[in-house]
Amino acid sequence: MDFLFTYSPTSKNHQSQCSSFLLTIIPFLLPLLNYQLIPAQASICRTSCGNIPITYPFGIDDGCGSPYYRHILDCSELGKLELRTPSGRYPVHSISYTDPHILVIDPFMWNCQDGDNFRPTKPFSLDTSTHLSLSPQNDYLFFNCSEDNVIVEPKPMFCERFPERCDSSCDSSSYLCRHLPNCGSALRGGSSSCCSYYPKATESLRLMLKFCASYTSVYWRNNGAAQMPYEAQVPEYGVRIDFDIPVTTRCLQCQDMKKGGGTCGFDTQTQNFLCLCGQGNNITTFCKDHSASQHKSVGVIAGTVSAVSAAGVLGIGAGIWYLMKVRAKAPVTCGVQSNENRLF
């Protein structure tokens, strides 16, 4: 809020009155404005969305976690977690922090209930600047591809004949095509075809979908309860996305329970590291470092005050009203001589 004081000197007495007035009002205005512009953390970073734990490097509140993953997760009021990517928003099935990966479900992909009814779909893609990557544990199955445009052949036989073009073939004899997860016989007896191909990039996935009716992604889930080696991995529908966990000394110090047990976060304006200690205390070191000054830049955590609040406006108004009442009989108000350009 900018205040414009117009000044028209008429006499030494008038100058003295104006100076006295400014010296009187400034002590009232500055503390009120300054107080209202200091942010207060609205709440501690949420640690879950529904039944899915949310911890570093992720955050569902702005300023929590690592800035590498800012704005990629969204938690609805109903506790449904979604992943944002350039190709859309996808329900998150689970997040693992020990074997760092996210499992998402793409509702546009083919599933067992579709059978021979292939719906229009669009390719799944990621923003690589967020340190996310498609896991090599994914397999992609394509259905009803045009053999005039896509090489659809049993991969072992094709690779023996054309080793230099082996990577470009879509394997029609793949294990997953013959044993579709949860519905192994969904396409048997029909006219639909299936082949397995791992796209090297989003562009190659788009190209495949240009000549194929639909596709689906299958990831291999580790089955810890498996009794036999061949049962150690179980195929399931979904997209596995691997992520990195940026580890820094400052974050480890911040999380150390002996040093206060803070939450790693960042300044939403500069993206510099912050240790979030609750009750609006955002420190650049760790929570029990009493020698460090608190970080007080506007907009550190979503929900902080970024402008003069209603309480501040009322406070300023009360101060101005009091001064007007005291100076009601004053003949001149700082050189403002008419109602057209009066400040008060």
Side-chain angles (χ1 to χ4, degrees):
M1 182 182 295
D2 296 325
F3 292 95
L4 175 63
F5 293 93
T6 56
Y7 173 62
S8 302
T10 55
S11 65
K12 292 183 179 180
N13 182 46
H14 171 71
Q15 294 177 12
S16 176
Q17 289 177 349
C18 184
S19 300
S20 176
F21 173 71
L22 292 176
L23 290 174
T24 303
I25 191 173
I26 285 175
F28 283 90
L29 292 177
L30 290 182
L32 289 168
L33 289 172
N34 185 53
Y35 175 78
Q36 296 301 327
L37 288 174
I38 294 175
Q41 187 173 335
S43 61
I44 303 298
C45 299
R46 284 175 287 175
T47 58
S48 66
C49 179
N51 61 351
I52 300 177
I54 305 296
T55 185
Y56 186 84
F58 298 123
I60 50 180
D61 300 296
D62 198 13
C64 299
S66 167
Y68 288 131
Y69 302 106
R70 186 180 186 184
H71 298 319
I72 73 161
L73 292 178
D74 180 68
C75 184
S76 71
E77 294 181 357
L78 299 177
K80 301 297 184 182
L81 187 65
E82 289 185 323
L83 175 73
R84 294 190 183 106
T85 82
S87 57
R89 297 164 68 105
Y90 303 93
V92 176
H93 181 268
S94 62
I95 300 178
S96 171
Y97 298 94
T98 53
D99 176 19
H101 68 271
I102 305 172
L103 293 177
V104 302
I105 306 300
D106 185 351
F108 295 101
M109 289 181 178
W110 180 90
N111 59 58
C112 288
Q113 288 69 36
D114 292 335
D116 289 329
N117 180 27
F118 298 108
R119 300 168 296 162
T121 187
K122 57 183 179 179
F124 181 89
S125 65
L126 289 175
D127 183 356
T128 54
S129 67
T130 56
H131 290 215
L132 298 176
S133 61
L134 287 174
S135 172
Q137 296 186 35
N138 294 325
D139 276 316
Y140 299 89
L141 303 180
F142 294 85
F143 305 101
N144 281 7
C145 297
S146 168
E147 296 191 18
D148 294 333
N149 303 102
V150 178
I151 302 173
V152 181
E153 286 195 33
K155 201 172 187 70
M157 295 172 57
F158 181 80
C159 292
E160 287 180 6
R161 287 182 290 131
F162 307 101
E164 71 281 359
R165 301 175 61 191
C166 184
D167 288 343
S168 63
S169 67
C170 193
D171 185 8
S172 59
S173 64
S174 70
Y175 172 84
L176 290 174
C177 278
R178 291 180 287 111
H179 303 85
L180 289 168
N182 304 326
C183 53
S185 60
L187 302 180
R188 290 177 187 172
S191 58
S192 301
S193 65
C194 170
C195 62
S196 176
Y197 174 73
Y198 189 88
K200 300 298 183 182
T202 302
E203 193 57 40
S204 61
L205 180 55
R206 290 195 187 99
L207 192 60
M208 288 290 290
L209 285 177
K210 184 177 179 181
F211 302 112
C212 300
S214 186
Y215 87 116
T216 193
S217 173
V218 177
Y219 71 93
W220 291 89
R221 176 177 60 84
N222 290 324
N223 185 4
Q227 300 296 322
M228 302 298 290
Y230 61 83
E231 296 177 344
Q233 290 188 319
V234 179
E236 292 187 3
Y237 295 106
V239 184
R240 172 175 164 140
I241 302 165
D242 294 338
F243 63 87
D244 300 325
I245 301 180
V247 179
T248 64
T249 302
R250 286 185 298 180
C251 183
L252 292 175
Q253 287 182 333
C254 172
Q255 294 176 324
D256 189 346
M257 297 304 296
K258 295 180 180 179
K259 296 186 177 182
T263 301
C264 299
F266 59 91
D267 186 312
T268 58
Q269 292 181 339
T270 65
Q271 297 197 12
N272 292 332
F273 173 81
L274 284 180
C275 185
L276 311 179
C277 304
Q279 300 178 349
N281 298 326
N282 306 320
I283 309 289
T284 56
T285 53
F286 49 87
C287 296
K288 288 188 176 180
D289 185 3
H290 301 296
S291 63
S293 60
Q294 292 186 3
H295 187 91
K296 295 182 179 180
S297 68
V298 177
V300 172
I301 299 293
T304 57
V305 181
S306 59
V308 178
S309 68
V313 173
L314 292 175
I316 294 172
I320 294 172
W321 175 84
Y322 174 77
L323 291 171
M324 289 178 62
K325 184 175 181 181
V326 171
R327 296 183 52 81
K329 297 181 180 180
V332 179
T333 305
C334 280
V336 182
Q337 302 292 338
S338 67
N339 289 330
E340 284 75 14
N341 62 351
R342 290 177 66 94
L343 177 61
F344 307 120

